[in-house]
């Protein structure tokens, strides 16, 4: 990870800044890489956040320093990955909702059990975790290190970013804390 000092900022500023950055995963001797195209922000003041009720064994990573992964298991079958943001002691994180596959696509297909439609390969938080082989073992992982790291790219123009409400939550569903790249075909839902 290059200069990622922006990760220590407010989650609503960090979330859109992550668009255009890349996740790079080294897995079984293969390099899998994707551009972040959709994210959602979560903060401890937010009733939809895992950290809303305070620290727990499950969410303790969210309270740690920025630049680490917060990976959790949901619906008894899927993993989802967040990037921890903000200052240490204040829980906030950005859920990575979708990536555009750039490298290692054939291995992502294998991990997704033969999905051949590349637009469906990583267009959701659980799908991208499955494609990149991200599971609970990467919870609390420093994203400056292999086997999963964040590559910081130049910020995308503000005009290329759409801000809207989050998906699949019941609490604070009206908060416009979801950001995605306008016109990108790998976004989970327009």
């Amino acid at each position: 990870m290059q200069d990622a000092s922006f990760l220590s900022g407010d989650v609503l500023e960090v979330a859109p800044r992550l668009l255009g950055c890349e996740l790079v995963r080294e897995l079984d001797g293969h390099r899998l890489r994707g551009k972040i195209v959709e994210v959602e922000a979560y903060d401890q003041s937010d009733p939809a956040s895992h950290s809303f009720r305070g620290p727990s064994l499950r969410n303790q990573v969210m309270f740690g320093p920025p630049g680490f992964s917060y990976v959790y298991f949901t619906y008894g079958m899927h993993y989802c990955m967040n990037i921890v943001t903000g200052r240490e002691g204040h829980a906030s994180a950005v859920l990575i909702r979708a990536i555009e596959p750039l490298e290692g696509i054939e291995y992502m297909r294998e991990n997704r059990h033969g999905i051949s439609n590349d637009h469906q390969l990583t267009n959701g938080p659980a799908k991208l975790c499955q494609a990149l082989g991200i599971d609970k073992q990467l919870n609390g992982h420093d994203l400056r290190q292999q086997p999963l790291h964040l590559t910081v790219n130049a910020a995308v123009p503000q005009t290329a970013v759409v801000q809207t409400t989050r998906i699949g939550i019941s609490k604070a569903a009206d908060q416009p804390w979801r950001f995605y790249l306008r016109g990108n075909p790998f976004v989970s839902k327009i």
Side-chain angles (χ1 to χ4, degrees):
M1 183 179 352
Q2 298 83 347
D3 180 18
S5 58
F6 73 91
L7 291 175
S8 63
D10 181 271
V11 71
L12 292 176
E13 294 172 8
V14 175
R17 175 62 184 90
L18 283 168
L19 296 173
C21 294
E22 298 174 11
L23 288 177
V24 182
R25 173 79 159 112
E26 301 293 333
L27 183 64
D28 299 328
H30 304 289
R31 180 177 154 106
L32 313 177
R33 185 170 61 95
K35 177 172 68 173
I36 299 171
V37 298
E38 181 184 3
V39 297
E40 287 180 348
Y42 290 89
D43 183 82
Q44 71 182 32
S45 64
D46 168 21
S49 176
H50 292 171
S51 61
F52 184 66
R53 297 195 191 284
S56 69
L57 188 59
R58 179 187 193 198
N59 70 18
Q60 66 186 3
V61 173
M62 288 182 75
F63 290 86
F68 287 75
S69 60
Y70 167 51
V71 179
Y72 63 90
F73 198 57
T74 187
Y75 300 120
M77 61 195 315
H78 299 297
Y79 291 99
C80 295
M81 186 198 130
N82 296 256
I83 296 175
V84 176
T85 66
R87 61 179 166 77
E88 192 166 356
H90 181 93
S92 61
V94 176
L95 173 67
I96 309 302
R97 283 203 53 85
I99 62 171
E100 178 179 334
L102 299 174
E103 186 178 348
I105 297 171
E106 59 277 9
Y107 301 107
M108 292 184 200
R109 288 185 194 128
E110 285 179 22
N111 292 340
R112 291 270 291 122
H113 308 294
I115 296 289
S116 59
N117 180 342
D118 289 346
H119 292 108
Q120 298 292 316
L121 196 58
T122 55
N123 68 336
K127 291 177 182 181
L128 76 88
C129 282
Q130 187 178 25
L132 296 179
I134 295 171
D135 60 19
K136 196 74 167 175
Q137 292 180 5
L138 288 168
N139 185 45
H141 175 73
D142 184 341
L143 293 170
R144 295 173 294 185
Q145 308 292 325
Q146 290 298 346
L148 177 65
H149 76 269
L150 175 69
T151 299
V152 176
N153 293 330
V156 299
Q158 194 171 16
T159 56
V161 177
V162 176
Q163 181 174 359
T164 188
T165 55
R166 297 175 292 189
I167 299 172
I169 58 173
S170 57
K171 297 176 182 171
D174 59 337
Q175 293 285 7
W177 288 9
R178 177 174 163 245
F179 304 86
Y180 65 86
L181 289 180
R182 185 182 312 281
N184 189 285
F186 296 92
V187 169
S188 67
K189 183 178 177 182
I190 302 297

